[in-house]
Amino acid sequence: MKKVIVILLILTALAAAEGFKRHAFTLSTGVPGLLLPELSYEYSFDASNKVGVAAGTFVLWSEYRLNYVRMLNSFEVMGSLGYVPGADDDDDDDGFLDDLFEGILSGGTSGAKFLSATGGYRYTADGGFIFRVAGGGGYFFNDDDSRFIPFFQLGVGYGF
């Protein structure tokens, strides 16, 4: 246990010497939708590797995902695993019209698990302000259907 504590202290000292921000919150929106408002939290292991969680909406339907981000200077590459809850996950007993509108509003992704990949540019100012622009797509796996959906995001945030 003492060795683990010493290793963690050494890694913490090295990270502090690098001068990068450990934590970041970003708010992004994009196409398809106004459609993809999403709040995410990222934790940085070092200046190049980050993991995070995000919650938002996919065409007005909630989505949750886990992210891994690799930074190459100001270029970011992100891979994600996520889930879009469906009507079966709700306790409500919806009628036929509610099911129809749910399918339309969720872009056919209701109840789907997904994998996504994006690439983009991220500018982080010295004060912690973050601006990001990214594009990519996600492959949604559903019981009824699987589909690829491209998307584009703009985001702002703060690192600390």
Side-chain angles (χ1 to χ4, degrees):
M1 186 61 159
K2 290 180 183 178
K3 289 181 183 179
V4 172
I5 292 172
V6 170
I7 291 171
L8 288 175
L9 288 173
I10 291 170
L11 291 174
T12 302
L14 290 172
E18 289 185 30
F20 67 91
K21 310 287 187 200
R22 273 273 174 219
H23 309 274
F25 284 100
T26 57
L27 180 62
S28 301
T29 188
V31 175
L34 205 193
L35 295 186
L36 279 180
E38 178 178 74
L39 178 64
S40 65
Y41 166 78
E42 291 178 351
Y43 175 79
S44 298
F45 292 111
D46 55 35
S48 299
N49 298 293
K50 305 168 186 299
V51 294
V53 294
T57 62
F58 184 78
V59 193
L60 305 177
W61 208 256
S62 61
E63 59 92 7
Y64 308 98
R65 62 189 176 108
L66 298 172
N67 309 320
Y68 170 74
V69 180
R70 175 74 177 172
M71 296 297 299
L72 308 165
N73 293 323
S74 292
F75 182 71
E76 71 175 26
V77 178
M78 181 186 300
S80 301
L81 299 170
Y83 182 65
V84 180
D88 297 340
D89 299 339
D90 297 335
D91 293 329
D92 301 336
D93 188 19
D94 296 332
F96 169 74
L97 288 178
D98 291 334
D99 290 340
L100 175 67
F101 287 119
E102 169 200 332
I104 293 168
L105 293 177
S106 69
T109 62
S110 175
K113 295 171 182 70
F114 66 91
L115 297 170
S116 68
T118 61
Y121 173 80
R122 180 185 299 209
Y123 172 75
T124 304
D126 291 337
F129 173 77
I130 297 169
F131 170 77
R132 65 182 290 269
V133 58
Y139 194 78
F140 291 79
F141 303 92
N142 203 329
D143 292 340
D144 302 336
D145 187 19
S146 296
R147 63 176 63 191
F148 176 79
I149 299 176
F151 56 85
F152 175 77
Q153 283 188 324
L154 290 173
V156 295
Y158 183 74
F160 56 97

